[in-house]
Amino acid sequence: EIVLTQSPGTLSLSPGDRTTLSCRASQSVIGNYLAWYQQKPGQAPRLLIYSASSRAAGIPDRFSGSGSGTDFTLTISRLEPEDFAVYYCQQYGTSPQTFGQGTRLEIK
Amino acid sequence: EVQLLDSGGGLVQPGGSLRLSCVASGFTFSSYAMNWVRQAPGKGLEWVSGISGSGDSTYYADSVKGRFSISRDNSKNTVSLQMNSLRAEDTALYYCAKRAAEGIYLMGSLNYWGQGTLVIVSS
């Protein structure tokens, strides 16, 4: 199965900062079928990005995704207070679909 | 409005069984693959099982293959997960989740999630 490694494990930043989260796959992600999710405490995950770079419905344009092959990134251009959460990547190009271990974004 | 209502979780002894259900509304249920994803306490997300819109195709994570069975009843807009031979490591919050894209494929991004139902396997 494809292993997704997210880095860093934790990021401490301030509102207004720009940040980039990394997701590296153990082998190429077919079709660049990679998604990003945001999860806040006590809530279900929320889809942000699919197909590596397409924003899901209702997602603010400060969130953007990029990458291909084995290296993908999620960029948040200007952090809002509500963006502090855990972020997961998911690949769905090869069975079984798999998730990364998550990156925690915390307020500095 | 799309809604997914998970239920059926609880406390069960090792080796026991439990059946989870998810009732969907707000979309054409039979047109979308459905999945179960779990999250152990304080841990990350783990995909568990998926089923096609028609119910003809199913697939499972290796960790649950042979013990869990997914099914759906499109007349009742319901997807279920029958969990047998439960182990302590199956303890988690179980989410049902809808595939974002309509169609025949099983895998995909997941754009709607239930609130989760908690399964605790302990003696």
Side-chain angles (χ1 to χ4, degrees):
Chain A
E1 72 176 43
I2 293 180
V3 175
L4 299 178
T5 302
Q6 293 187 240
S7 60
T10 303
L11 265 176
S12 298
L13 295 169
S14 302
D17 287 347
R18 175 187 176 90
T19 188
T20 298
L21 283 60
S22 172
C23 176
R24 178 162 289 177
S26 60
Q27 55 188 278
S28 187
V29 176
I30 291 173
N32 293 327
Y33 290 136
L34 187 113
W36 290 93
Y37 299 84
Q38 176 194 69
Q39 187 178 34
K40 298 179 181 179
Q43 295 184 17
R46 174 193 181 198
L47 177 65
L48 300 174
I49 301 288
Y50 63 94
S51 295
S53 60
S54 297
R55 262 189 306 277
I59 301 303
D61 61 7
R62 64 180 181 274
F63 291 93
S64 63
S66 63
S68 63
T70 60
D71 289 301
F72 298 87
T73 58
L74 174 70
T75 298
I76 311 173
S77 60
R78 183 180 171 85
L79 285 166
E80 298 288 342
E82 62 267 28
D83 298 337
F84 291 90
V86 180
Y87 292 82
Y88 295 95
C89 57
Q90 173 215 14
Q91 70 80 23
Y92 50 96
T94 299
S95 180
Q97 53 190 328
T98 50
F99 289 91
Q101 85 280 13
T103 289
R104 180 178 304 276
L105 187 52
E106 62 180 29
I107 298 178
K108 192 172 184 178
Chain B
E1 179 192 6
V2 172
Q3 286 195 327
L4 299 174
L5 296 177
D6 310 319
S7 63
L11 175 63
V12 61
Q13 292 188 338
S17 297
L18 213 53
R19 186 176 182 87
L20 308 183
S21 292
C22 171
V23 179
S25 61
F27 63 101
T28 305
F29 184 67
S30 60
S31 295
Y32 293 86
M34 297 295 293
N35 292 264
W36 288 95
V37 177
R38 69 185 179 184
Q39 187 168 35
K43 302 298 184 181
L45 302 171
E46 180 188 14
W47 172 79
V48 172
S49 182
I51 186 168
S52 63
S54 65
D56 290 346
S57 298
T58 60
Y59 74 136
Y60 303 90
D62 284 347
S63 58
V64 306
K65 201 173 293 182
R67 300 187 299 122
F68 289 11
S69 177
I70 191 172
S71 61
R72 65 191 295 158
D73 183 341
N74 286 344
S75 69
K76 297 181 179 178
N77 284 9
T78 299
V79 58
S80 299
L81 186 70
Q82 177 66 41
M83 304 187 296
N84 299 329
S85 303
L86 283 162
R87 305 166 180 167
E89 55 264 35
D90 295 318
T91 294
L93 188 63
Y94 284 73
Y95 295 101
C96 74
K98 169 189 167 291
R99 184 175 185 258
E102 191 174 349
I104 62 171
Y105 297 107
L106 287 174
M107 296 191 296
S109 60
L110 306 171
N111 65 341
Y112 286 96
W113 298 61
Q115 81 286 359
T117 186
L118 183 61
V119 173
I120 300 174
V121 184
S122 175
S123 55

